[in-house]
Amino acid sequence: MARTPHKNEFQRIATYLAPLTAAAPGAFGLLDDAAVIETPAGQSTVVTTDTMVEGVHYVGDEAPSLIARKLLRVNLSDLAAMGARPSAYTLNLALPESVSDAWLADFTEGLRLDQTSYGISLIGGDSVATPGPATLTITAFGDAAEGEVLRRAGARAGDGLYVSGTIGDGALGLLVLRGEIGGLDAIARDELVDRYRLPRPRSALGVGLVGTAHAAADISDGLVADLGHVASASGLAAEIDLACIPLSSAAGAALDHDSDLWPTVLAGGDDYELVFAAPETATLDELSAHSETPITRIGEFRTGTGVTVMGDGVPMVLDRAGYRHG
Amino acid sequence: MARTPHKNEFQRIATYLAPLTAAAPGAFGLLDDAAVIETPAGQSTVVTTDTMVEGVHYVGDEAPSLIARKLLRVNLSDLAAMGARPSAYTLNLALPESVSDAWLADFTEGLRLDQTSYGISLIGGDSVATPGPATLTITAFGDAAEGEVLRRAGARAGDGLYVSGTIGDGALGLLVLRGEIGGLDAIARDELVDRYRLPRPRSALGVGLVGTAHAAADISDGLVADLGHVASASGLAAEIDLACIPLSSAAGAALDHDSDLWPTVLAGGDDYELVFAAPETATLDELSAHSETPITRIGEFRTGTGVTVMGDGVPMVLDRAGYRHG
């Protein structure tokens, strides 16, 4: 798998990475030129991939296990948005020479934890040296019934507009890390940082929505942007009722202290919640039957284009200074 | 697919990458959160992945199209070694800001050329910025009949030992680029450099060997090392007859000029030929029936361990100074 690794890299692969393949016979213990993805009969394999660069997508002083789990989970969030059940992943490590065995041990321990949580296995990868920052790629695979993936296109006029969990925590958590947010106690700060560092991919919800939801996406670039992708792919407008947006108590406290944080909540990203369209007739109970994740109806899809946020019944305008009445 | 790309990155994805997905409906034009791999009924999906770093795996002043094609082809070579027919790939680009649109246009033109040659499509990826060197990952997918991939394990005592094409050209080509080789005319130099820069994955041969060959690997780390992996995975020894190793006329000329280049030929790597084990009863005609690539029997597998190179009937020893009679 790995091309011309150094002796030390062979050793690292055997010590830290091969054990992560123990439950995947198609990985051949990382000793072959390629791996076999096990796809159940009648299922399609769904694939997504994300790269994180030290100093760009993470600071570098985080616990390596958290870096690993975030990289894995942003991929699992993409699979959830497609309604695919995660099954396996490959890992490409471009690491500077300064990376120690202890770093790699903690990194792979993070992967091991999440493999157990999500029922997935490492099946392949590559390990190379780089003179630059650590550059980490995971490519994740999932199963979906043939022809039944959730797409961004497919919402219909009159569909309800839903999100999972709470919105804005990840982006606010990044502000906490930067020391750019005030008025929060230590517990609230920790909660927001935790949401930034450790996404909760909504795998069970995504799989459960197949057959009911008309369209879905995960919220990585921000609610307004990702909902905008669903609306435009579906040829529709989307209208959000600001008062309906589900907030954690920590995010609520932050907004109480400074309402200029609303644009961060609506457009900041790193939520890794699902935003989806479901028929008017679907009930909350039906939609959340397969998942413990709360879901909230925050608006609807209409004929037209664009995303509108309604505050007190009036369209709001997003500009640099924040949301305001239009 | 791409996480929080800049506006410019959205534009680049639409302009340069989305057109590469035109023949792959499961790519959804790179507009969804994930892609669907189309696997024919009764087939398994085989996956392999490689990362190349500017300044480590390529100099950086090569034609971008050649960098792209080498990255794609080293992956296709891994699929060939497993007997899988290439079908699709994902691409992760971590690019410094200095990378121009012209660079990306030429890079993707290289991919387009090879997509046509190998009947494959881009189906997904990620594009991020990096403060470090360009770091490029391709993950390639192929189809193989269920349970019928070629493995490194499986060679049997008495099996013939075969290679495809010619050995040593890639490693000698790298020496030409470094100005570390003499006695060659311009044509020979160009041929060797071309073999270094543009591997020829042996896809048709690999697929054709399924059901006949007992074990296979591609030669990326060098004949001795990769054959060593096949031998050790199979619990056997392998014996090479030096006089049987197929050489290009350029490699032959280089060795005539300087026999100290033998270790480079045998252990230098970057061949991207196949090395495989086939039963004693198999004929060259049978083994090469599905491919135009010449194959050569260079030795056999025996009980024991390790790889032995026989020169004039005497085992040779590889050391720093080169191969010599043991």
Side-chain angles (χ1 to χ4, degrees):
Chain A
M1 191 83 39
R3 198 158 19 80
T4 56
H6 300 288
K7 268 275 181 295
N8 185 33
E9 288 179 51
F10 276 120
Q11 192 57 50
R12 280 184 160 183
I13 291 167
T15 304
Y16 298 111
L17 298 170
L20 296 174
T21 69
F28 307 127
L30 303 180
L31 292 173
D32 257 291
D33 287 302
V36 174
I37 298 174
E38 321 275 352
T39 307
Q43 304 273 302
S44 295
T45 297
V46 178
V47 58
T48 187
T49 184
D50 277 288
T51 296
M52 294 193 346
V53 179
E54 178 185 355
V56 178
H57 302 91
Y58 62 97
V59 178
D61 61 0
E62 298 88 343
S65 61
L66 283 178
I67 299 169
R69 295 167 82 190
K70 181 158 187 175
L71 176 59
L72 185 55
R73 288 175 179 219
V74 298
N75 278 287
L76 299 185
S77 182
D78 283 324
L79 293 180
M82 301 290 282
R85 188 183 308 279
S87 60
Y89 67 100
T90 56
L91 171 67
N92 299 65
L93 299 171
L95 298 177
E97 288 202 11
S98 59
V99 166
S100 66
D101 281 2
W103 189 96
L104 199 58
D106 193 60
F107 185 87
T108 48
E109 173 62 14
L111 295 175
R112 196 190 62 76
L113 283 172
D114 275 1
Q115 289 198 178
T116 304
S117 299
Y118 295 97
I120 56 177
S121 282
L122 180 70
I123 57 167
D126 195 8
S127 173
V128 300
T130 179
T135 304
L136 315 170
T137 292
I138 278 182
T139 304
F141 306 99
D143 303 321
E146 275 177 26
E148 298 214 2
V149 291
L150 294 173
R151 303 278 313 278
R152 292 181 181 178
R156 302 174 199 174
D159 276 356
L161 162 56
Y162 296 83
V163 294
S164 62
T166 55
I167 301 299
D169 300 315
L172 294 172
L174 180 56
L175 292 188
V176 171
L177 284 173
R178 290 178 176 163
E180 294 174 3
I181 198 167
L184 293 177
D185 61 24
I187 292 175
R189 287 200 302 272
D190 287 351
E191 280 177 5
L192 295 173
V193 167
D194 179 63
R195 284 299 304 270
Y196 173 72
R197 287 189 163 156
L198 205 55
R200 272 67 167 180
R202 301 308 187 184
S203 300
L205 176 62
V207 171
L209 288 175
V210 173
T212 307
H214 289 153
D218 77 324
I219 308 174
S220 50
D221 296 347
L223 173 61
V224 171
D226 287 307
L227 173 57
H229 294 146
V230 173
S232 94
S234 302
L236 293 173
E239 187 176 298
I240 297 172
D241 183 347
L242 190 73
C244 295
I245 290 179
L247 299 172
S248 68
S249 58
L255 287 164
D256 284 346
H257 183 260
D258 180 4
S259 67
D260 283 349
L261 290 172
W262 267 110
T264 299
V265 168
L266 293 169
D270 270 306
D271 294 291
Y272 300 103
E273 297 292 350
L274 298 185
V275 55
F276 59 96
E280 187 61 38
T281 52
T283 65
L284 275 179
D285 280 354
E286 284 166 5
L287 292 169
S288 59
H290 302 279
S291 159
E292 294 176 358
T293 307
I295 61 172
T296 307
R297 178 165 171 161
I298 63 165
E300 65 179 0
F301 289 89
R302 292 190 176 170
T303 56
T305 59
V307 173
T308 309
V309 180
M310 302 291 284
D312 296 326
V314 180
M316 307 183 79
V317 176
L318 180 61
D319 60 20
R320 265 194 206 178
Y323 270 89
R324 57 179 170 74
H325 292 276
Chain B
M1 192 81 38
R3 198 159 18 81
T4 55
H6 299 289
K7 269 274 183 294
N8 184 33
E9 288 181 49
F10 276 120
Q11 192 57 51
R12 280 185 159 185
I13 291 167
T15 304
Y16 299 110
L17 297 171
L20 296 174
T21 69
F28 308 127
L30 303 180
L31 293 173
D32 257 290
D33 287 303
V36 174
I37 298 173
E38 322 275 351
T39 307
Q43 304 272 302
S44 294
T45 297
V46 177
V47 58
T48 187
T49 186
D50 276 288
T51 296
M52 294 193 344
V53 179
E54 178 185 356
V56 179
H57 302 91
Y58 62 99
V59 177
D61 61 1
E62 298 89 343
S65 61
L66 282 178
I67 299 168
R69 295 167 82 192
K70 181 157 186 175
L71 176 59
L72 186 54
R73 288 174 179 219
V74 298
N75 278 287
L76 299 186
S77 182
D78 283 324
L79 293 180
M82 302 290 282
R85 189 183 309 277
S87 59
Y89 67 100
T90 56
L91 171 67
N92 298 65
L93 298 171
L95 298 177
E97 289 202 9
S98 59
V99 167
S100 66
D101 281 3
W103 190 96
L104 198 58
D106 192 62
F107 184 88
T108 49
E109 172 62 14
L111 295 175
R112 196 191 62 75
L113 282 173
D114 275 1
Q115 289 197 176
T116 304
S117 300
Y118 295 97
I120 55 176
S121 283
L122 181 70
I123 57 167
D126 194 9
S127 173
V128 301
T130 179
T135 305
L136 316 169
T137 292
I138 278 182
T139 305
F141 307 100
D143 303 321
E146 275 177 27
E148 299 217 1
V149 292
L150 294 173
R151 302 277 315 277
R152 291 182 181 177
R156 301 174 200 172
D159 276 357
L161 162 58
Y162 296 83
V163 294
S164 63
T166 54
I167 300 300
D169 300 317
L172 293 172
L174 180 57
L175 291 189
V176 171
L177 284 172
R178 290 179 175 163
E180 295 176 2
I181 196 167
L184 293 177
D185 62 25
I187 292 175
R189 286 199 303 270
D190 287 352
E191 280 177 4
L192 294 173
V193 167
D194 180 63
R195 285 297 305 270
Y196 173 71
R197 286 189 165 155
L198 205 56
R200 271 70 166 179
R202 303 306 188 185
S203 300
L205 176 63
V207 171
L209 288 175
V210 173
T212 307
H214 288 154
D218 78 325
I219 307 174
S220 51
D221 296 347
L223 173 61
V224 171
D226 287 307
L227 173 57
H229 295 146
V230 172
S232 94
S234 301
L236 293 173
E239 187 176 297
I240 298 172
D241 183 348
L242 191 73
C244 294
I245 290 179
L247 299 173
S248 68
S249 58
L255 287 165
D256 283 347
H257 183 263
D258 180 3
S259 67
D260 282 350
L261 291 171
W262 268 110
T264 299
V265 169
L266 293 170
D270 270 305
D271 293 290
Y272 300 104
E273 298 291 350
L274 298 184
V275 56
F276 58 96
E280 186 62 39
T281 53
T283 66
L284 275 179
D285 281 355
E286 284 166 5
L287 292 169
S288 60
H290 302 279
S291 158
E292 294 176 358
T293 308
I295 60 172
T296 306
R297 178 165 171 162
I298 62 166
E300 64 179 0
F301 289 90
R302 294 190 175 169
T303 56
T305 60
V307 174
T308 308
V309 180
M310 301 291 284
D312 297 325
V314 181
M316 306 183 79
V317 177
L318 181 61
D319 60 22
R320 265 193 206 177
Y323 269 89
R324 57 178 170 76
H325 292 274

